[in-house]
Amino acid sequence: MEFAKASSIFNAMEPIVVSFFEEHILPNYPLKCNCEKCTTDIIVLTLNHLKPKYTSTQAGQAYIKALYMNTQLQSDILQELTRSLQVVESNPQHRPGE
Ligand SMILES: [Zn+2]
């Protein structure tokens, strides 16, 4: 198995969803819990609901930038993030205060 080759492939949605979360969700929606577990759950849930867009590290930056500018994709991401946020907040994977 040639793992080094596989590791140059990644889902371009990952950095995009993370930056949308930081730039659009965090400043606008005060989270009930913003621990690492909950924020990671929100991002993972969102990524599972959005179609992955794989790219290689070589082509990555330009591809991500183009996707990032896509207004349809922007609204899909924001919609999924908002939905995931509500799911995680109403059903956190840890007890309060943990
Ligand atoms: Zn939490």
Side-chain angles (χ1 to χ4, degrees), residues 12 16 19 22 31 39 42-43 54 58 70 77 82 87 94 96:
I16 298 177
S19 64
E22 287 170 350
L31 299 174
T39 51
I42 294 166
I43 288 164
Y54 290 103
Q58 293 91 329
N70 180 322
I77 293 172
T82 311
V87 170
H94 62 75

Side-chain angles (χ1 to χ4, degrees), residues 33-39 92 94 98:
C33 179
N34 63 357
C35 76
E36 209 185 314
K37 174 100 184 94
C38 290
T39 51
H94 62 75
E98 243 173 54

